[in-house]
Amino acid sequence: MIDTDNLKPINDTLGHAVGDATIRAIAHAVRAVIRADDMLFRWGSDEFLLLMFGMPEAEARRRLETLNVTLAKTSLPYVNAPISISVSHGLVAFNAMMELEHAIEEAEEAMYKRKQVYKAQLKQVEKQG
């Protein structure tokens, strides 16, 4: 599971067209780190479900960890102000399709925990200065 960080402030300050461009930029960044056979789905408003069949968990994690580095270098068309694009993700391995629903639930939980850590770090930065 992959979730867009801080999409609401982007929509509120720069408009929904920029929010949509942000989602497209994330999808593009994800596609750049996955294989042609991997499956990427839009899952809700600003979340994605990514299925990477047959990939070792460590390799999947390594690939997902590169997303925010790539997104930090991303610029959006028609946006003059610097924009911070990042994602939180949760990763869970599964071996059979009948385990998929449970794996999605676990990945979503892991993603939300990661998102809370990200928000706490942002608050610390804001307090410092």
Side-chain angles (χ1 to χ4, degrees):
M1 294 294 298
I2 301 169
D3 186 54
T4 308
D5 293 330
N6 298 315
L7 185 63
K8 183 173 177 12
I10 291 170
N11 282 335
D12 291 350
T13 58
L14 299 171
H16 287 273
V18 175
D20 291 345
T22 299
I23 290 169
R24 285 191 302 276
I26 291 168
H28 181 75
V30 172
R31 281 192 211 101
V33 300
I34 63 176
R35 303 165 301 184
D37 292 349
D38 295 332
M39 303 172 86
L40 179 63
F41 303 93
R42 180 98 177 260
W43 196 262
S45 64
D46 64 345
E47 295 178 1
F48 297 89
L49 172 64
L50 176 59
L51 301 176
M52 297 183 280
F53 297 105
M55 182 180 291
E57 187 174 347
E59 176 62 13
R61 189 170 308 283
R62 185 194 66 73
R63 289 175 185 230
L64 289 175
E65 292 293 340
T66 66
L67 284 176
N68 284 331
V69 173
T70 300
L71 290 169
K73 300 173 189 173
T74 300
S75 60
L76 298 177
Y78 313 111
V79 178
N80 296 328
I83 183 170
S84 176
I85 302 173
S86 65
V87 296
S88 297
H89 68 272
L91 178 67
V92 173
F94 67 98
N95 295 313
M97 287 305 290
M98 58 191 234
E99 299 173 2
L100 180 58
E101 185 176 347
H102 181 68
I104 290 171
E105 290 170 3
E106 286 186 27
E108 200 165 29
E109 185 178 319
M111 177 189 67
Y112 285 124
K113 285 180 182 175
R114 197 173 182 111
K115 194 170 199 63
Q116 293 305 317
V117 169
Y118 171 77
K119 286 182 179 183
Q121 290 171 341
L122 276 181
K123 285 183 182 180
Q124 284 291 74
V125 169
E126 289 172 359
K127 285 182 183 178
Q128 293 173 356

